[in-house]
Amino acid sequence: MKKSRFKFQRMIRICMALALLINLHALTYANSGPTIMEEYPSSEMIVDEANAIIVNHETLTFDLTSDLYSEGAKVKATYEMENTSDETQNVHMVFPLVSTIKSLEDHVEIQCDGEPISLKKIYLDKVNTPNNLPDFETVLKQATEQDSFLTSDLICYEFIPQVDLAEMQIEVKFSLSDPQSLIFVQNINSYGYDGNRFSIGGWFGKNVGTDETLKLYLTKGEVEALEYTVKEKSSDNPIDSKTGFENLKVEQTTISNANMKALLENQLFSEESDIYTKTDKEKMLNEALHELYEPNDMPILILDDLTQYLYRERIILLSYDIAFKPVQKREITVAYQMKGTFDKRNSSEPTYTFEYFLKPASYWKAFDQLDLTINLKAPYEYILSSSLPLTRKSSENQISYHANFDQLPEEDLTFTVYTSETITALDQLKGKWSRTYVYVFFLMVLPLIFVVAVVVGIVFIVKKIK
């Protein structure tokens, strides 16, 4: 009997171990990646409708021969334009796109007759998803500059430890003499607000790897009722907690508006100080401060978060002027990269969908011809669907789709690429199988049901033997 009981217990342990392994496997696949990642559309350049310029010919090429997930498509639009009037025309053009400021420099190039064009960059509000993307034409009317965020000198408070600890946490609590003041804080990892009482804190010492100190800047008034706590990392008990500041020196200085802006510019452009002009830096800093402040419900601005401004996706307008002599023809080229929407909800491999707005091209005095080419490469050799009719051409070295239009199409361009000509029922089944909840059910719930059934069966057999 003891031998049977031992075998029974061993069997249960084996079954539970197998169930655990299967469940770990299921968790790995359940979190293996997203099923859809939406990307933003791109557009033709936008121009004032009151112009005398015609587009004789546009060549629009989408090159999808690089990795679609990491690089997307290389888009190139080349326009042959002509001034139909007998007067010189200075035409203002705008190319809108969604990008981060950080990646903009490497991804967009605009030329006139083969020479790079000097661009004015207008950085607008950040966007969260393609669903909240406003109309590009409406955006042009909303492109106004923000009021100056900093207009006066500031008071700086620097908190300098007077104890030599390898790693310590410093927390400072204070009130404001002027409740209308904004608070800039630097080198912190915690902050709080309760009524008119504020707290900020950070880690400092030799082991932290920085010589920085805790700092705060006020735009108005002074701090009041200062309290502090100094706590060593290895202990939960504070080594100093008082208002006398024997172990924490406080230095109070006035910093001019110009010096504060210089400090903030160094913070914002620490990695790319030479890329932008002085005017660009001033404008971008002002916009970054507005963006940092406006979503908050408290007057604390964390300067360490300032650089997020460069990494957020936003609408960017590239503005430029092209001069046309009477009846002159000029060639304008716009080249950039765009991502396609990744969708693996109903297929074994992801599809990639690209959207391109053609409507803005109708603002020219006339638009005569459009040649469209989409270059593909294995494994993404097929266009599943397209809003415009396309003809497939295949050779040993190149797979492409083409279309020629004698006038601007009425519809915008949307096309989806895939690894085969159609998504079969088997592909759809694999796609559904790969979705998170299906994995969780089949690779977690069913194995557990199986293990329980085996255990119940074993118990039943053992009882029969007895």
Side-chain angles (χ1 to χ4, degrees), residues 51-108:
N51 68 84
I53 308 300
I54 64 171
V55 178
N56 292 322
H57 184 265
E58 178 187 355
T59 301
L60 178 59
T61 304
F62 292 82
D63 190 334
L64 280 68
T65 58
S66 299
D67 182 72
L68 296 183
Y69 183 83
S70 60
E71 298 186 32
K74 296 176 182 177
V75 185
K76 185 176 182 180
T78 301
Y79 306 84
E80 182 189 297
M81 299 180 178
E82 182 180 355
N83 179 10
T84 58
S85 73
D86 56 2
E87 297 179 356
T88 297
Q89 298 282 322
N90 193 47
V91 183
H92 182 63
M93 306 179 191
V94 175
F95 175 64
L97 74 159
V98 176
S99 176
T100 66
I101 297 174
K102 186 75 172 177
S103 62
L104 179 65
E105 298 298 327
D106 298 329
H107 289 176
V108 181

Side-chain angles (χ1 to χ4, degrees), residues 112-125:
C112 178
D113 297 330
E115 296 295 328
I117 297 173
S118 177
L119 302 173
K120 178 183 178 183
K121 303 177 183 70
I122 303 172
Y123 306 111
L124 301 182
D125 292 342

